[in-house]
Amino acid sequence: MKTMKTFGKTFGLAVLISATAFAGAEAHVTFLDKQATQDSTILATLQLPHGCDGKATTEVRVKLPEGFVFAKPQPKAGWELEVIKGDYLRTYDNHGDKVKTGAVEIRWKNGNLSDDFYDTFVIQGKVSGVEAGTLLAFPVTQMCGDTVQAWDQLAKEGGDAHGLKSPAPLLKVVAGEGHGHDHDDMAGMDMTGKTGMDMTGMAGGAAPAGETVKAGDLEISGGFAKAMLPGQPVGGGFFTVKNNGQTDDRLVSVTSPASGEVQIHAMETKDNVMRMRQLKDGIAIAAGETVKLEPGNLHLMFQKVKTPFKQGDTVPVTLTFEKSGKVDLVLQVLSAQGK
């Protein structure tokens, strides 16, 4: 089967279509919330209601339109994740930084979603520089083994999307109150001050957030998590482990009362493609070595988070090492940009 990787500039798929066309595009693969406020950070939740002619879905590819920037996909248990980066057509402001490149395509790969089941695929991103009334199209390629279904058709301006066989999922951009209010600065992503839950006490004998804790010959320090959007069920956690002993050890599992599951992940970027995978065997901590879990590299992935992490909160975790046993650690929740 021939596949194509997308590099370079993303294409402008922010298209103006009539209200009739927008209503008609509501078929098959669609967004849970079909509207997005101007200049806001959102969770774009794609709904996948079925497979390909009865076959299970094994890969989902989503091309991102110009004007949907700083995109971060939500990992899914059992799926590998790729983020293909390229050039934007315009330059965007990200908290004072001028950004010209970013994610242009998201791929969830090597999964197995039966035709009998429904699932969602979530991308966090910011709608930036897009006029109210614009429809942002997100062409989707759904793969079921060797069978491929493309959801990429757009109605012509003034046309009726009801007649389209495979319409692309659309988000309609709407004006918000005070136009320009950005969830990235207020809704759990970059808040200041201490709000929401503080679960330090739930960690038993754990040291206060940010302090170094020990487990045998291991020293664990610099623990922090990133703030999340309201409703976002996945979060990231980070810390540093130093092995002062003469025996290799291994981080084998992590638990937390803040989430239904904590997975250990690795992320790497090669040729503008970022890949993330779960490390089911954990992380080796060699004797005399230091291993750092940090954004863009090794990290914890909190799945099914009960209450989204807010800046200023603390999140307790229990780390289990192969030889050093269990140790409680408290992560300080920082802004979405981390350290």
Side-chain angles (χ1 to χ4, degrees), residues 11-91:
F11 45 89
L13 282 172
V15 291
L16 282 170
I17 310 176
S18 70
T20 301
F22 176 71
E26 192 173 340
H28 300 297
V29 178
T30 59
F31 284 108
L32 180 63
D33 186 348
K34 299 175 180 61
Q35 292 189 345
T37 304
Q38 286 177 289
D39 297 315
S40 67
T41 298
I42 66 168
L43 296 179
T45 303
L46 197 70
Q47 303 178 108
L48 206 70
H50 54 70
C52 315
D53 297 326
K55 296 182 179 179
T57 300
T58 55
E59 184 170 340
V60 177
R61 300 181 178 183
V62 185
K63 292 184 178 180
L64 308 181
E66 186 73 22
F68 185 79
V69 294
F70 318 139
K72 297 179 181 180
Q74 176 181 299
K76 294 182 68 66
W79 297 71
E80 294 179 12
L81 185 59
E82 286 189 0
V83 178
I84 299 177
K85 296 185 177 181
D87 295 334
Y88 296 138
L89 296 179
R90 303 193 300 272
T91 299

Side-chain angles (χ1 to χ4, degrees), residues 210-212 220-225 238-240 293 329-331 339:
E211 292 194 9
T212 299
I220 303 98
S221 61
F224 72 98
F238 316 89
F239 54 86
T240 298
L293 281 72
L329 180 69
V330 178
L331 309 181
K339 286 189 174 181

Side-chain angles (χ1 to χ4, degrees), residues 191-200 209 225 227 309-315 331-335:
M191 297 178 69
T192 57
K194 190 168 183 179
T195 57
M197 63 179 181
D198 184 341
M199 300 185 296
T200 305
F309 305 156
K310 296 179 182 178
Q311 184 174 343
D313 289 350
T314 55
V315 179
L331 309 181
Q332 183 72 45
V333 180
L334 306 180
S335 74

Side-chain angles (χ1 to χ4, degrees), residues 86-200:
D87 295 334
Y88 296 138
L89 296 179
R90 303 193 300 272
T91 299
Y92 297 90
D93 180 82
N94 186 19
H95 297 280
D97 295 329
K98 301 300 180 183
V99 181
K100 297 181 179 180
T101 62
V104 296
E105 183 173 347
I106 308 295
R107 297 178 179 179
W108 288 269
K109 304 176 63 176
N110 298 321
N112 185 11
L113 175 60
S114 170
D115 181 57
D116 295 327
F117 301 118
Y118 154 96
D119 206 348
T120 57
F121 296 77
V122 182
I123 307 171
Q124 175 186 304
K126 183 175 181 178
V127 178
S128 181
V130 182
E131 294 183 0
T134 299
L135 294 181
L136 293 176
F138 293 69
V140 172
T141 301
Q142 180 182 1
M143 299 184 176
C144 306
D146 292 331
T147 302
V148 178
Q149 172 67 59
W151 304 96
D152 58 3
Q153 294 179 336
L154 296 173
K156 295 181 180 180
E157 185 173 351
D160 186 354
H162 281 89
L164 298 179
K165 182 179 179 181
S166 303
L170 302 173
L171 281 181
K172 184 176 182 179
V173 180
V174 298
E177 282 186 32
H179 174 77
H181 114 151
D182 186 353
H183 292 291
D184 198 29
D185 293 323
M186 58 174 293
M189 285 293 292
D190 219 348
M191 297 178 69
T192 57
K194 190 168 183 179
T195 57
M197 63 179 181
D198 184 341
M199 300 185 296
T200 305

